[in-house]
Amino acid sequence: MTATMELTERTAQPQEPGTGRPRRRWLKAVIVFLLITIPAGYLYISAMQSRGGSDSKKEQAAATGLEEGWPSQLQRRIYEVTVPPYAENVASFETNSWKSSSLFLQFTTTRAKFAKWLTDVGTSASALKDGDVTIDDDQAAQVGWKFGSGHRWAGTVREQDKPKPTLAITANLDNPDYPQVFVVSTTTP
């Protein structure tokens, strides 16, 4: 009697021709739909996160501005800058893009250490031009630097072949014994 009930239940469902199995076209359709939409959904979400990520990183970087302390050893090596020993008011900020990367650095040091630092980065105190601000307004605005009149500025630019960095150096010499130094080291691939 149980064999008869099984036979009756099997015959109640539509069968696939020649197999004796019930049809489940809807199941195949659902599986195909899921196999297509789930990866497509992940790709879409990933693309939106990636796209929005660059904007949020830019906003975060702009909000933080200069950070107190020395740049990392890796940053100092990449951008070919150092900080004189016992320098004060040291702060740095790094920006990166596809076109170029820059390290903004500021510090206050003594006249002798500044002259030695200039030699260490490949230039000299004699290369400084009075009244020359070598950091442009757009770069200065990124970190809140203001190079207005009423101060004694001197600056120089050390240019090198790519991919080595170019250093724009500007110093506030209001107190020549303790110059305040501003540097933007920019590398382009």
Side-chain angles (χ1 to χ4, degrees), residues 6 18 27 71 81-82 98 120 122-123 128 145 186:
E6 286 181 82
L27 183 59
V81 293
T82 60
W98 290 107
D120 291 345
T123 186
L128 291 172
W145 290 340
T186 304

Side-chain angles (χ1 to χ4, degrees), residues 109-127:
T109 189
T110 64
R111 180 189 316 198
K113 288 180 184 173
F114 179 45
K116 182 177 180 338
W117 179 84
L118 286 167
T119 304
D120 291 345
V121 297
T123 186
S124 65
S126 62

